[in-house]
Amino acid sequence: MADSMAALHSGDAAAFEGLIQMLLATDNDQRSRGESIFQELQKSPDVCANHLIRGLRSPERTELRSLSAELLRRVRFPALLPGLGGAGSTAALVLAS
């Protein structure tokens, strides 16, 4: 997991696409590993938000856009937008991008 986190923290788009593939996997072990990595990624809200917003802008990967939108909807980023709460922070992030 440390290698995956290092790649994600460096902004590696391929690492994020790999994470999305893990989250979409039918294999429970692989999906659980992806969920663990995503939970760790959320501890760095700026990195997480950047990956999710970049995923929304992916023209060639529908599943990447779809899951990025869903994850962005579920995740709250109070450190990035302290004046907004809940759905407002997600909407502001999407509008700002």
Side-chain angles (χ1 to χ4, degrees):
M1 179 162 43
D3 291 339
S4 297
M5 290 307 299
L8 288 165
H9 278 280
S10 72
D12 185 352
F16 183 69
E17 288 183 27
L19 173 59
I20 293 295
Q21 291 304 316
M22 280 192 262
L23 292 170
L24 292 172
T26 56
D27 178 64
N28 286 336
D29 291 333
Q30 191 174 14
R31 192 173 53 252
S32 293
R33 184 171 168 245
E35 290 169 357
S36 296
I37 292 170
F38 188 72
Q39 286 177 350
E40 283 297 311
L41 183 62
Q42 289 181 69
K43 293 178 182 176
S44 301
D46 55 339
V47 175
C48 186
N50 284 333
H51 279 297
L52 291 172
I53 290 169
R54 191 177 331 147
L56 288 174
R57 295 179 172 175
S58 176
E60 64 277 345
R61 304 278 315 270
T62 304
E63 69 277 4
L64 178 61
R65 276 195 323 269
S66 297
L67 190 52
S68 292
E70 178 63 22
L71 293 172
L72 189 59
R73 184 185 70 80
R74 291 181 182 188
V75 175
R76 300 177 197 270
F77 296 105
L80 294 178
L81 300 165
L84 299 174
S89 63
T90 301
L93 276 172
V94 172
L95 293 173
S97 63

